[in-house]
Amino acid sequence: MVTEHAPVLNHAKKLYREKGCIGCHRFQGFDNQDEQLVSARQMIAQLENQKQDDRLQIAELNKKGDAATDNDAANAYYAQATNLTVTISSMDAQIEELEQRSHNLLQEIKKVGRT
């Protein structure tokens, strides 16, 4: 972000970054932590809803497997339930990553300028 032949502007940009001015001031194209935080929280909510839906579907698949008339059909239902369980585990990892990202973004947002 260095602009040639503009030493005052370059110095101001450097100070902006170093002093944490993002806490009170916005710089177009530079400080989008608020938007990233909202996006991360929305993604967490979507994943949580999907996990809840998948858990309900797992219960239904297990019931169908228990009531199946032959072993092949039962095994197919159980396999689908197992696949959803693995999917939920993957979603848990994504949620954990997003929560850490949210935490880091909150820390960035809470920075205040120092003189």
Side-chain angles (χ1 to χ4, degrees):
M1 284 200 189
V2 176
T3 306
E4 288 187 42
H5 309 293
V8 174
L9 177 61
N10 292 328
H11 183 68
K13 287 179 181 180
K14 181 181 174 194
L15 287 173
Y16 182 84
R17 287 189 299 272
E18 289 176 355
K19 300 295 183 182
C21 295
I22 192 169
C24 301
H25 306 280
R26 294 189 55 82
F27 183 78
Q28 185 175 1
F30 186 76
D31 55 347
N32 62 352
Q33 285 84 358
D34 291 330
E35 293 86 7
Q36 290 179 28
L37 181 60
V38 169
S39 176
R41 287 180 173 169
Q42 287 174 341
M43 188 62 157
I44 289 170
Q46 289 173 352
L47 288 168
E48 290 291 351
N49 288 337
Q50 184 62 49
K51 279 176 43 178
Q52 185 177 7
D53 292 345
D54 286 353
R55 284 190 181 112
L56 292 173
Q57 192 173 358
I58 288 169
E60 290 176 23
L61 288 167
N62 283 328
K63 284 181 186 177
K64 287 181 180 180
D66 292 344
T69 56
D70 61 73
N71 283 341
D72 290 336
N75 288 334
Y77 288 126
Y78 295 141
Q80 289 176 12
T82 301
N83 288 340
L84 285 175
T85 302
V86 171
T87 300
I88 287 173
S89 178
S90 175
M91 283 188 258
D92 284 335
Q94 287 177 305
I95 288 170
E96 188 174 328
E97 255 182 63
L98 287 166
E99 286 174 344
Q100 182 61 47
R101 176 88 175 124
S102 295
H103 175 76
N104 293 341
L105 286 167
L106 274 174
Q107 287 181 329
E108 283 294 316
I109 290 169
K110 290 181 179 180
K111 278 186 183 178
V112 294
R114 299 178 297 270
T115 55

